[in-house]
Amino acid sequence: MNDQQLLRYSRQIMLPEIDIQGQQNLLNSRVLIIGMGGLGSPAALYLAAAGVGSLVISDFDDVDLSNLQRQIIHGQQDIGRAKVDSAWESIRELNADCHVLPLPEKLSGDELKQQIALVDLVLDCSDRFSTRFAVNRYCMEVQTPLVSGAAIQFGGQLAVFDPKDPESPCYSCLYEETDDEAMRCAENGVVAPLVGVIGAMQAMEAVKILSGAGQAATGKLQIFDALTAQWRSMKLSRDPGCPVCSKRK
């Protein structure tokens, strides 16, 4: 790290759980964020601010007026632009040292698997079950940790799945494949700050995993009720009949 980086990240470096080595780990890390919407917006900004060296951001959508209620990485001037271009510009303004690879497409198949294999960690900030199941499947195949978040109406969920941990379940241990539209904000609504809470928590788990600080929330489903301001934590176990990870050693 140079003097500017030591100053920029000094508030994290002074934490004994992170220190110089943990910060260097962040700077050396590459993270894939699927979705530049309500969850991906705060997650990307916090990871860039925290010093993650490279972010790969994927989204095939354009910025719409209705997005601005919660997708804080975009502004009014970005309406009609590709979300990844708008997000890249916001990240650059926050931390020009963070290398960003914008992918204005819906990753799938071999391309999705390849991008997952090239990173140290994946944040699933998508809003479609089909995407979530595909991301989970490839993360398990190539042994890449996955931080999954979801937010709808006044409720949010957070889970960490680590294929390198023999005790860790995967997303398919928790959910069976279902209707793709069941959790979309466009059909169900969502309160604005909720996605910030869950997206920031996804970034927090990513920072912990990448820097080596603390203990990741692997093997737990954390549920947040914004109406009562309460968190619940449920222990998750591997499903011996899981179609994705049951044969994993």
Side-chain angles (χ1 to χ4, degrees), residues 101-172:
L101 174 61
L103 300 176
E105 56 193 289
K106 182 179 180 179
L107 294 176
S108 61
D110 290 341
E111 187 177 8
L112 175 60
K113 182 178 179 179
Q114 181 181 24
Q115 289 297 335
I116 291 175
L118 292 173
V119 300
D120 301 293
L121 183 141
V122 175
L123 262 67
D124 185 351
C125 300
S126 64
D127 61 356
R128 294 180 181 272
F129 275 117
S130 58
T131 301
R132 293 176 180 275
F133 286 115
V135 170
N136 173 73
R137 183 168 59 253
Y138 291 129
C139 280
M140 293 301 115
E141 282 189 28
V142 301
Q143 301 281 289
T144 301
L146 169 63
V147 181
S148 177
I152 202 75
Q153 298 178 344
F154 285 90
Q157 296 183 1
L158 174 75
V160 177
F161 307 107
D162 188 353
K164 298 175 183 178
D165 181 349
E167 300 299 320
S168 173
C170 78
Y171 189 81
S172 291

